[in-house]
Amino acid sequence: MTMMEALDPDLPTGDSPAGRWQAVTASERGAAHRAAGLPNQDAVEVRPLGGGMVAAVADGHGHSRHFRSARGARLAVSIACQATADLAARPGGLPTAPEDLRRHLVPDIVTRWRDGVHRDVAAEPFTGAEDAVRRRDDVTIPYGTTLLVAIGMGERLLLAQIGDGDIVCIRPDGSALLAVPGDPLLDGRHTTSLCSPRAGDSFRVAAVDLTGTAVLGALLATDGYGNAQVAQVWESVVTAELAGPITTRPLSWMASQLQAQAGQCASVDGSADDTTLALLVAPAAAQDGPAAPVPPAGG
């Protein structure tokens, strides 16, 4: 469980966290993976952007072809956060339109991830047993992973996603806003992936202008969370439960609740799958409370 708030250099030390983007994360290894002796193949990372915040969640594929997917997921979230921070630091900063997000950030993430995979393999070559599984697969296939990214900066919320999982925006009235377009290629058994040859084309992107569309925050979740929900249209049920506490409870309380939910969903009574969550909280929703510790990057 981690908590982080965006540090704004223009605010005096000791100022309330209200006015800053904040984030909480949680991750739990699935009961099925525990029973099989497999690691948590999800990953999560959040990083401040100087008044803003980026959150990234990834779900490494469970198929035997993707035997290094846990490493692929860790690479994905780290690279997504770094690429976002680098783009935010350039003249002009972060884009405001989805097409600009696709043009500038998405290709950078894909290229860096593929390069990162090649560096990882160079540092630790595939074993004979791994090569027997890989056969003729591209070197990136064993590292296959999804990726969900949410960037909060001022009155902008930028979203990008490849593969399954969910990004659910929370409206003040408790209703859900599903800003990211759906993917007709997702059928519950197959997913698009960073290891796909044309991964950049499979990203879905969206931008929410908070001056015209009020949201309290965005919940990023791997499919272990959605698959554990009882309601068929579960998004509105979850946002209704989160909207009140986001505006009335301190970040530390939200973090404990998120961890409890991840644990329940990852259990045998839930999906039994790895479950990872990141809740990006908008400035207007931030509440005073115990100061959130700033942990090392990563979930």
Side-chain angles (χ1 to χ4, degrees):
M1 174 178 63
T2 64
M3 298 181 290
M4 184 176 284
E5 62 184 70
L7 305 180
D8 189 338
D10 296 327
L11 290 175
T13 302
D15 260 29
S16 164
R20 310 176 192 176
W21 284 91
Q22 301 180 82
V24 294
T25 71
S27 188
E28 188 73 35
R29 182 162 61 137
H33 279 192
R34 291 181 183 274
L38 296 174
N40 186 342
Q41 293 168 329
D42 289 354
V44 60
E45 185 167 324
V46 295
R47 191 176 301 188
L49 300 172
M53 181 74 70
V54 56
V57 166
D59 182 356
H61 309 325
H63 191 277
S64 59
R65 291 179 66 195
H66 309 289
F67 49 83
R68 289 191 179 183
S69 67
R71 292 157 77 158
R74 291 195 297 270
L75 278 172
V77 296
S78 177
I79 285 167
C81 289
Q82 186 60 56
T84 301
D86 291 345
L87 182 58
R90 295 176 189 171
L94 291 167
T96 58
E99 56 268 25
D100 292 328
L101 194 67
R102 181 182 299 281
R103 185 180 303 116
H104 298 292
L105 182 61
V106 167
D108 194 23
I109 290 174
V110 173
T111 298
R112 291 192 193 199
W113 183 80
R114 292 186 66 89
D115 290 346
V117 167
H118 281 275
R119 286 194 301 271
D120 194 70
V121 173
E124 187 175 337
F126 294 122
T127 65
E130 288 176 328
D131 265 330
V133 174
R134 186 170 73 92
R135 298 183 181 180
R136 296 182 181 180
D137 279 346
D138 181 80
V139 69
T140 62
I141 297 296
Y143 290 77
T145 181
T146 66
L147 178 64
L148 296 78
V149 183
I151 308 160
M153 179 68 79
E155 296 294 332
R156 287 176 288 164
L157 177 61
L158 306 172
L159 308 170
Q161 176 174 356
I162 183 171
D164 55 26
D166 299 279
I167 300 179
V168 185
C169 299
I170 306 157
R171 294 180 182 271
D173 64 0
S175 61
L177 170 64
L178 305 180
V180 177
D183 185 344
L185 296 178
L186 305 181
D187 61 5
R189 295 180 61 249
H190 302 91
T191 181
T192 48
S193 171
L194 275 174
C195 71
S196 302
R198 298 178 62 85
D201 296 338
S202 295
F203 267 86
R204 297 110 68 197
V205 296
V208 181
D209 181 354
L210 272 62
T211 62
T213 304
V215 298
L216 301 177
L219 179 69
L220 287 69
T222 58
D223 66 344
Y225 183 76
N227 291 340
Q229 304 303 315
V230 176
Q232 185 173 4
V233 186
W234 59 265
E235 295 88 350
S236 58
V237 176
V238 167
T239 54
E241 293 174 348
L242 288 174
I246 285 177
T247 58
T248 59
R249 300 278 192 168
L251 200 64
S252 56
W253 188 90
M254 293 301 302
S256 66
Q257 293 302 300
L258 220 63
Q259 188 61 51
Q261 288 186 23
Q264 183 177 10
C265 292
S267 72
V268 292
D269 294 324
S271 66
D273 191 10
D274 300 334
T275 301
T276 299
L277 302 167
L279 177 64
L280 193 64
V281 181
Q287 295 300 303
D288 292 316
V294 179

